[in-house]
């Protein structure tokens, strides 16, 4: 059998002191964990805000670049359209000049053949049939 022994007042005091130290450490750890939890929450909040701010800034930069590219595209389209209009106008002018020269040459050739025919007729009439 086992002897039941009672603790002395000094032993109870030492035990209470140890329990108090353990409880103090427990309270200290709990306070430390609470502090870490708050700091982690603040860090998460700050990181979320930083990511949101960065995303907004990135979206703004992208949209700015897209707008700039769109303006450049419209400007280039206008330049190309203007160049094509000038080229088309030049082709029309060249066609008009070509048609005019051909018509003039045809007319001159026609008048020349008529003049030649009249000359032969006149020579025939004046020459007496020769």
């Amino acid at each position: 059998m086992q002897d039941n022994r009672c603790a002395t007042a000094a032993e109870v005091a030492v035990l209470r002191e140890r329990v108090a130290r353990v409880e103090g450490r427990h309270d200290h750890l709990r306070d430390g964990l609470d502090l870490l939890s708050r700091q982690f929450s603040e860090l998460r909040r700050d990181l979320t805000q930083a990511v949101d701010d960065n995303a907004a800034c990135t979206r703004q930069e992208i949209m700015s670049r897209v707008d700039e590219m769109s303006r450049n595209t419209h400007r280039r389209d206008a330049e190309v359209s203007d160049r094509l209009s000038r080229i088309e106008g030049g082709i029309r002018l060249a066609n008009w000049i070509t048609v005019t020269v051909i018509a003039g040459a045809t007319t001159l050739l026609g008048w020349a053949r008529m003049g030649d025919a009249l000359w032969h007729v006149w020579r025939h009439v004046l020459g007496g049939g020769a």
Side-chain angles (χ1 to χ4, degrees), residues 29-110:
L29 285 174
R30 187 181 55 223
D31 292 343
L33 286 175
D34 288 343
L35 177 64
L36 284 175
S37 178
R38 282 193 306 273
Q39 288 175 343
F40 181 75
S41 293
E42 290 170 1
L43 177 63
R44 185 177 58 215
R45 182 198 65 221
D46 293 345
L47 285 175
T48 301
Q49 184 63 42
V51 167
D52 289 345
D53 292 347
N54 191 18
C57 184
T58 301
R59 276 191 302 274
Q60 185 179 9
E61 287 179 21
I62 289 171
M63 292 310 296
S64 173
R65 289 180 186 175
V66 167
D67 290 343
E68 183 179 345
M69 289 169 56
S70 178
R71 284 191 300 272
N72 287 341
T73 300
H74 288 302
R75 184 177 44 80
R76 286 186 201 130
D77 286 350
E79 289 174 4
V80 168
S81 179
D82 185 48
R83 288 180 187 170
L84 287 175
S85 293
R86 283 185 278 160
I87 290 169
E88 190 177 80
I91 290 172
R92 284 182 184 158
L93 178 62
N95 286 341
W96 182 83
I97 290 172
T98 302
V99 168
T100 302
V101 168
I102 290 171
T106 304
T107 302
L108 286 175
L109 286 175

Side-chain angles (χ1 to χ4, degrees), residues 14-28:
V14 169
L15 185 61
R16 282 185 181 161
E17 185 180 320
R18 285 183 182 169
V19 169
R21 277 193 306 229
V22 168
E23 286 177 347
R25 287 183 187 142
H26 175 70
D27 291 342
H28 181 68

Side-chain angles (χ1 to χ4, degrees), residues 104-118:
T106 304
T107 302
L108 286 175
L109 286 175
W111 281 106
R113 287 182 68 70
M114 286 176 57
D116 189 43
L118 284 173

